[in-house]
Amino acid sequence: MTWWQRLWHRTRMEEQLEKELRFHLDQHASELIAQGQAPNEARRQARLALGGPEQVKEKCRDARGTRWLEDLLQDTRYALRTFRQKPGFTAIALLLLALGIGATTVMFAVVNSVLLRPLSYPESDRLVTLRVFTEQIGELWGFSNLDFGDAKGQSLTLALAAWTYGGGTISEPGEPEYVNGRQISAELFSTLRISPVKGRAFRPDEDRPGAAPVAIISYGLWQRDFGGEPSAIGKSLVYDGKPYIVVGIAPAGFQLDGEADVFTPLELRQNTDPRMQNRRARFLRVMGRLQPGFGLAEGRAELALIARNLAKEYPESNTGLGMIAYPLQKELVGDIGSTLWLLLCAVGLVLLIACVNIASLLLARAASRERELAMRVALGAGRSRLARQCLSESAILGLGGGGLGVVLAFVSIHPFVAFWPGSLPRAEEVHLDWRVLVFAVGASLLSGLLFGLAPALRVPVRGVEQMLRASARSIAGSSRRLHSAFVISEIALAVVLLVSAGMLGQTLLALSSLDPGFNVHDVMAARFALSPATLGNPEQVREAWQDVLDRARRVPGVDSVTLADIIPMREGENSLPYWTTATPPPTNHEPVALASCVSPDYLKVMGIPLRQGRFFNEHDRIGSEPVVVIDDNLAQHAFGTKDAVGKRIWIPAMSPSPILIVGIVGHVRHWGLAADDQSRVRDQMYYPFAQVPSPLLHFFSSVMSIAARTTIPPLKVVEPLGQQLRGAAGDQVLYEIRTMEQLVNASLARQRFLLLLFGIFAGLALLLACIGIYGVLAYLTGQRVPEFGVRMALGASARDVMRLVLRQSLGMIFAGVGVGIFAALAAGRLLVHLVEGMRPTEPSTFAIMIPILVAAALFASFLPARRAGRIDPMRALRQE
Amino acid sequence: MPEKSDLPQGTLDLLILKVVALGPVHGYAIAQRLEQVSRGVVQVPQGSLYPALHRLENRGLLAADWEETESGREAKFYRLTRKGRTQLETEAASWQRLIEAIGLVLKMSEGGAK
């Protein structure tokens, strides 16, 4: 028989065992009777010789080899029976666990999908992303087209591909619609090893100048504008005013730093885009795949060599410029990792508190079951057997709670990800997979073990007799100490979470009260694309933009309007090197400033203070003397004084000759309220859109935004503004519409999100700790009822007894707070390290948070204390 | 009454296998046979007999069938399997070697050790 057959036929085997032993006894007895013994005596002797049928049976069962499984089944049945008897306890324990494990599972699922699971490309661990760096400004994502071409041609260790941002209006087929686009090099798809779902990728010669215009469209656009028809391949698409032939459909969900709908070959626009031939125009994102047989270290060494050679060959642009490769996964995930681990830790703490809570509940129950356990020891149960039973009880509880937790996680994971501020990288990949399930089961079992261990270790071994004889009032000192330890650790954990939440709250308050440097109220900003039809000669373009401004100004509710290529706190930037002496600093060692290209009303719209001189006016136009306005940071850095009006500054990207500074304005926290202080580029300058050289106008026209100060709520002007600006062909649209208030808020979204979650966790921890204190005190007080009875009979007042109970709880609370403060200081360091703009732990945080905790804990202990004070001494004494 | 010695560790299995090798036999008879054959010198703990039988059955050295005894009652009769017979032979042989070796050591003359 195999072991499962033996298990299956358990009843029959039991019967046979019984029968076999009975036969033995009968046989022995009848033999003794034949020898002349009295029948009763004969049976007694037979039983003695065998040595107790029940013990023999037990040993036979052990010999069967399925013992552990039978025990497990028995323990399970026993545990379920106990749980049914205590539905209240079971429900609370399950709920606590389900919450703890559910939350932990959700966080782990996010960590797993975003950080741990490899990217969905084949052999994604061999994919890298490339960056350039200089000593002065650190790392930049951008390569110039020529540098990319050289690196691609020379590298033996890496197969390289590049892409850059783009976008335009699709005027055919369908309604005019502005979409994001990407210009990609022909080998991008093959480097990533993905193929289009329909059609083909670009051919190697299709990103060369003069090739026929072809495009790959996104899965979404295919569904939207072509109805998902296979016949879309070969159809024409008018994008950004030019006709393209659709040759392929990208796989659903394919992204290159955000979604895009149209992919066009990189160099098709070479003739119109002067950046292509400029080694200083670093606008390409470069990624690569390590060639077989080479590792990251070899790739990096080769890139360093290539960069050195380029610096020798093109010193005017490449001196001091390095190149480096990073694993693509790290790049895509960015700095979100620290936030995720932080949240996983916080959620783990909550789970830990829940476990401690259940442990103390279980322990209280175990203590009251001591007599039952002692009885079972007396009846022959082994210590390990009883410990195993305790553990299987808690394991079942753990798994039950874990199961509920997984259900909870399954339901809540997508809302949680959707709730994530900004965009969580790889959010579309977040789901529960087998690894998450293994984690959840592991966490459940571990929790079960954690809270089952204490009761299991308390299984009685010695002194069973005394225990059976003793009345319920005797309680071992070790149990009281263990209970106190539980309460202390719960409170310490709660202190950590409360102080962390307090720190985040204070940081957020401090950050929100920072001056952004502009007036955030009643301003809206949106990207805007001119109709491709107007993008003929430069004069037309300038007129078209002037017309846009004039029309916008006439919209009711609009106070003033401006154009700007970059908007504070929104994505997108343009950093340019500058210097202030006739001899330029060494290449790539120049200071760098954030440069905004704006129209004259910019200062008025944004409410940025003018410190000195003037801002731009309609006389600053193409042909007149080039002028810039700088912020007080740049004035201080470059000239060591705030008085820089009339001085000149070299900005090679704009003009070979020095440019006149006509005004100084206040600094704007462009990189976000929290992040600006830490950003590398803190100098700012402004130059007039009207002075942008004609060859660059086409490019600038594709990146300009409109911002308006309004006299009514800013979003109310969006509709009429859109109507006004549609243009003759009706193909000009506003997109990415934001108010400045939204942008400022979004710049603190990470801090706010963390605060919200930590707030929830801290609240939960506080609640759990209070339940824990209440439970433990109620139990301990219950055990001391006879003692209190004696005290009261001897003259103690109700107040004395209450004081006694409260003193006991205060002891635990303060011990917990003491431990917690040290842990919180350590956790605070971690937070400062991980969250930008985070302020170090302040005494005030403790001063606010700890009294809250102590008050809540005292409140929780008050109920048991009052009950103790109301004990009737006579009844208590009679209980004995 | 002669003094009874406990069985050396691990020999009960061997003795059971030997007894069963003589033909199908039930548990009580095994106990009896062991006691008789060892002339009452070896104390067979009846309490360990049945667990040992079940263990041997479990390991496939013994097989069991329910059959009627002479008195007409049903009893569980054990018999040796082929595997059990091999096991018996190896164990008996190694036991024999052990006894001989111990005998040699015990027969050593006092001076021979030098």
Side-chain angles (χ1 to χ4, degrees):
Chain A
M1 263 194 270
T2 55
W3 65 268
W4 62 267
Q5 277 173 319
R6 288 197 292 275
L7 193 68
W8 193 249
H9 300 295
R10 217 161 57 91
T11 337
R12 213 180 73 205
M13 296 194 62
E14 279 296 309
E15 279 167 14
Q16 291 187 350
L17 181 61
E18 166 73 28
K19 200 165 150 190
E20 187 179 13
L21 292 181
R22 204 169 50 232
F23 174 79
H24 178 106
L25 288 174
D26 288 352
Q27 207 65 10
H28 196 176
S30 61
E31 214 159 278
L32 290 172
I33 291 170
Q35 285 168 16
Q37 301 268 19
N40 277 347
E41 178 60 17
R43 269 196 287 279
R44 197 182 74 85
Q45 281 195 9
R47 264 206 303 277
L48 275 178
L50 189 64
E54 280 311 313
Q55 275 94 325
V56 174
K57 272 190 202 168
E58 273 295 300
K59 283 185 191 155
C60 289
R61 286 179 202 131
D62 281 346
R64 249 182 243 157
T66 51
R67 193 50 199 265
W68 58 275
L69 215 82
E70 283 172 42
D71 284 354
L72 195 64
L73 286 176
Q74 199 186 9
D75 286 347
T76 311
R77 270 198 304 273
Y78 185 81
L80 291 179
R81 202 156 58 225
T82 347
F83 293 151
R84 261 205 303 279
Q85 279 165 2
K86 301 236 174 184
F89 161 79
T90 313
I92 289 177
L94 283 180
L95 186 72
L96 290 176
L97 270 175
L99 280 176
I101 289 177
T104 319
T105 304
V106 166
M107 270 325 297
F108 180 77
V110 174
V111 165
N112 177 44
S113 310
V114 177
L115 301 180
L116 304 182
R117 214 167 41 201
L119 300 174
S120 50
Y121 307 114
E123 285 187 58
S124 62
D125 55 325
R126 302 192 58 80
L127 287 173
V128 295
T129 177
L130 268 59
R131 294 188 181 199
V132 298
F133 61 91
T134 69
E135 222 168 86
Q136 197 65 27
I137 44 172
E139 290 185 358
L140 296 169
W141 53 259
F143 270 64
S144 71
N145 182 43
L146 295 175
D147 285 350
F148 162 65
D150 289 336
K152 189 176 126 192
Q154 292 172 25
S155 177
L156 299 173
T157 59
L158 285 160
L160 296 179
W163 59 272
T164 190
Y165 302 90
T169 307
I170 295 180
S171 33
E172 253 177 73
E175 281 283 294
E177 176 192 21
Y178 182 89
V179 297
N180 285 318
R182 299 286 184 262
Q183 292 167 258
I184 64 175
S185 65
E187 53 286 295
L188 187 87
F189 275 62
S190 61
T191 302
L192 291 173
R193 292 202 194 155
I194 54 170
S195 37
V197 285
K198 284 270 180 309
R200 59 174 177 85
F202 295 140
R203 297 206 181 97
D205 53 350
E206 276 175 337
D207 62 357
R208 306 272 153 75
V214 289
I216 294 173
I217 60 173
S218 73
Y219 194 86
L221 186 70
W222 181 42
Q223 299 294 328
R224 240 177 14 247
D225 280 3
F226 295 92
E229 294 288 332
S231 62
I233 304 294
K235 286 234 170 100
S236 101
L237 173 84
V238 180
Y239 165 64
D240 201 20
K242 292 188 216 69
Y244 289 85
I245 303 294
V246 175
V247 296
I249 315 290
F254 175 65
Q255 289 197 350
L256 288 168
D257 190 37
E259 284 182 40
D261 279 325
V262 180
F263 302 90
T264 53
L266 190 57
E267 295 204 24
L268 267 184
R269 278 168 61 168
Q270 190 187 30
N271 298 328
T272 57
D273 195 340
R275 298 182 300 168
M276 282 293 185
Q277 299 304 326
N278 182 353
R279 260 183 216 275
R280 282 175 167 277
R282 305 194 174 107
F283 64 100
L284 284 185
R285 289 220 159 198
V286 178
M287 49 172 64
R289 183 179 282 279
L290 287 165
Q291 300 280 19
F294 293 108
L296 184 61
E298 284 140 328
R300 282 182 169 181
E302 195 194 29
L303 279 176
L305 189 70
I306 291 172
R308 261 206 306 283
N309 290 340
L310 285 176
K312 260 183 235 152
E313 208 170 330
Y314 308 102
E316 72 288 354
S317 59
N318 282 44
T319 304
L321 191 76
M323 295 180 185
I324 191 163
Y326 290 102
L328 181 63
Q329 174 145 12
K330 203 181 134 206
E331 165 84 8
L332 281 189
V333 165
D335 62 349
I336 203 76
S338 56
T339 309
L340 289 180
W341 288 116
L342 197 67
L343 286 176
L344 189 59
C345 285
V347 126
L349 282 187
V350 175
L351 179 60
L352 205 59
I353 298 181
C355 283
V356 172
N357 234 327
I358 299 172
S360 77
L361 285 174
L362 273 176
L363 189 63
R365 220 175 46 131
S368 62
R369 269 166 68 183
E370 223 148 55
R371 277 157 63 84
E372 174 206 329
L373 292 179
M375 179 70 81
R376 294 176 58 184
V377 171
L379 288 176
R383 185 181 192 216
S384 66
R385 181 76 187 74
L386 284 184
R388 198 150 37 126
Q389 191 210 315
C390 280
L391 281 182
S392 36
E393 244 183 74
S394 50
I396 288 165
L397 206 56
L399 283 178
L404 287 178
V406 169
V407 173
L408 208 64
F410 189 77
V411 176
S412 60
I413 187 153
H414 289 292
F416 176 74
V417 169
F419 185 59
W420 195 274
S423 59
L424 179 68
R426 309 181 70 191
E428 69 289 342
E429 295 177 48
V430 171
H431 62 266
L432 304 181
D433 62 2
W434 63 268
R435 271 202 261 186
V436 177
L437 289 182
V438 167
F439 172 86
V441 171
S444 314
L445 283 177
L446 198 68
S447 314
L449 192 70
L450 209 62
F451 57 68
L453 210 55
L457 290 179
R458 287 186 45 77
V459 166
V461 253
R462 280 178 299 275
V464 172
E465 226 185 352
Q466 286 94 315
M467 214 169 281
L468 283 174
R469 237 182 268 145
S471 67
R473 96 187 128 144
S474 54
I475 164 164
S478 69
S479 162
R480 200 184 291 181
R481 274 201 299 279
L482 207 50
H483 272 110
S484 314
F486 282 155
V487 172
I488 289 169
S489 48
E490 270 184 314
I491 290 187
L493 291 170
V495 167
V496 171
L497 284 171
L498 276 172
V499 169
S500 304
M503 279 175 73
L504 281 163
Q506 285 190 324
T507 300
L508 198 61
L509 269 180
L511 288 176
S512 337
S513 64
L514 284 178
D515 177 15
F518 59 93
N519 182 355
V520 301
H521 303 290
D522 297 329
V523 183
M524 61 77 66
R527 292 187 195 267
F528 182 74
L530 274 189
S531 167
T534 60
L535 294 175
N537 64 59
E539 272 322 301
Q540 257 183 312
V541 177
R542 290 187 208 279
E543 269 166 36
W545 280 112
Q546 193 53 50
D547 180 54
V548 164
L549 284 177
D550 292 342
R551 280 170 179 275
R553 214 170 276 133
R554 284 202 295 270
V555 172
V558 170
D559 177 63
S560 46
V561 188
T562 183
L563 300 177
D565 60 343
I566 55 178
I567 299 284
M569 302 194 189
R570 196 179 69 183
E571 274 191 48
E573 53 140 322
N574 182 28
S575 299
L576 298 178
Y578 72 90
W579 57 85
T580 52
T581 50
T583 44
T587 306
N588 292 326
H589 280 75
E590 309 93 342
V592 175
L594 184 77
S596 311
C597 172
V598 299
S599 64
D601 271 347
Y602 185 76
L603 225 51
K604 193 174 171 201
V605 170
M606 288 297 171
I608 300 168
L610 180 68
R611 303 263 192 249
Q612 258 187 3
R614 66 169 177 94
F615 204 66
F616 310 128
N617 56 40
E618 59 274 22
H619 302 302
D620 301 313
R621 46 182 46 253
I622 195 81
S624 68
E625 183 179 17
V627 292
V628 291
V629 168
I630 60 175
D631 79 333
D632 37 22
N633 263 357
L634 197 155
Q636 191 68 46
H637 283 160
F639 304 101
T641 164
K642 306 253 170 189
D643 183 23
V645 174
K647 295 197 166 46
R648 287 178 187 271
I649 185 170
W650 277 260
I651 307 168
M654 291 185 201
S655 154
S657 50
I659 304 172
L660 180 70
I661 297 169
V662 294
I664 297 178
V665 297
H667 177 73
V668 170
R669 288 184 172 264
H670 175 86
W671 308 99
L673 283 181
D676 197 74
D677 289 332
Q678 280 115 7
S679 75
R680 282 174 169 275
V681 180
R682 302 207 63 237
D683 295 346
Q684 294 168 349
M685 58 192 175
Y686 301 87
Y687 56 99
F689 178 62
Q691 290 186 338
V692 167
S694 298
L696 292 176
L697 261 185
H698 185 278
F699 169 70
F700 269 88
S701 294
S702 68
V703 298
M704 293 310 279
S705 294
I706 286 185
R709 174 161 293 279
T710 58
T711 50
I712 55 176
L715 288 179
K716 286 210 171 140
V717 303
V718 171
E719 175 95 42
L721 197 61
Q723 290 294 336
Q724 269 297 326
L725 302 183
R726 277 180 71 81
D731 59 354
Q732 302 185 140
V733 282
L734 291 167
Y735 60 103
E736 273 193 54
I737 299 152
R738 301 281 185 279
T739 68
M740 289 313 290
E741 276 172 350
Q742 286 171 337
L743 288 173
V744 171
N745 281 338
S747 85
L748 291 181
R750 184 164 117 108
Q751 285 82 353
R752 194 171 298 117
F753 180 65
L754 279 178
L755 172 65
L756 178 70
L757 287 186
F758 265 81
I760 292 173
F761 297 157
L764 216 55
L766 190 65
L767 186 70
L768 287 176
C770 287
I771 294 176
I773 291 183
Y774 170 77
V776 166
L777 269 189
Y779 166 72
L780 289 179
T781 326
Q783 298 284 327
R784 288 172 75 184
V785 163
E787 178 204 325
F788 293 147
V790 172
R791 282 176 187 271
M792 289 173 102
L794 291 177
S797 68
R799 184 175 284 208
D800 293 332
V801 169
M802 280 175 71
R803 202 174 294 144
L804 209 61
V805 174
L806 286 179
R807 197 184 302 146
Q808 188 179 16
S809 102
L810 264 182
M812 297 190 284
I813 293 169
F814 281 121
V817 167
V819 176
I821 284 176
F822 283 103
L825 284 174
R829 286 243 184 96
L830 196 69
L831 273 178
V832 171
H833 189 64
L834 293 181
V835 183
E836 61 196 8
M838 193 78 192
R839 296 145 66 97
T841 330
E842 285 168 25
S844 62
T845 317
F846 288 96
I848 296 168
M849 286 304 167
I850 286 174
I852 294 180
L853 178 81
V854 172
L858 271 182
F859 177 73
S861 16
F862 187 69
L863 292 173
R866 203 176 53 169
R867 204 173 307 142
R870 284 193 186 152
I871 289 170
D872 174 4
M874 284 317 289
R875 290 235 320 260
L877 287 173
R878 229 178 272 137
Q879 243 180 37
E880 298 245 342
Chain B
M1 211 169 155
E3 200 183 319
K4 293 182 177 179
S5 355
D6 286 336
L7 274 177
Q9 196 79 36
T11 46
L12 180 61
D13 286 6
L14 177 61
L15 296 183
I16 292 174
L17 286 177
K18 181 67 190 170
V19 172
V20 176
L22 303 175
V25 61
H26 54 69
Y28 181 68
I30 296 173
Q32 292 263 300
R33 197 75 49 84
L34 282 176
E35 197 127 353
Q36 282 163 10
V37 173
S38 72
R39 300 183 200 96
V41 174
V42 173
Q43 166 82 38
V44 179
Q46 291 191 8
S48 358
L49 177 65
Y50 285 92
L53 282 171
H54 284 240
R55 193 168 53 242
L56 290 171
E57 187 187 354
N58 224 2
R59 285 166 57 194
L61 302 178
L62 295 181
D65 301 292
W66 287 86
E67 282 166 33
E68 283 198 2
T69 62
E70 296 137 32
S71 56
R73 280 188 67 172
E74 268 214 318
K76 194 176 179 187
F77 278 79
Y78 293 89
R79 60 190 163 73
L80 212 56
T81 61
R82 184 170 301 165
K83 201 172 151 196
R85 193 166 297 282
T86 327
Q87 176 80 6
L88 173 61
E89 278 159 15
T90 35
E91 275 196 26
S94 81
W95 183 246
Q96 204 63 44
R97 276 200 308 279
L98 185 66
I99 288 175
E100 280 166 17
I102 291 173
L104 280 175
V105 173
L106 292 180
K107 271 184 225 144
M108 248 177 352
S109 60
E110 294 273 314
K114 281 179 187 166

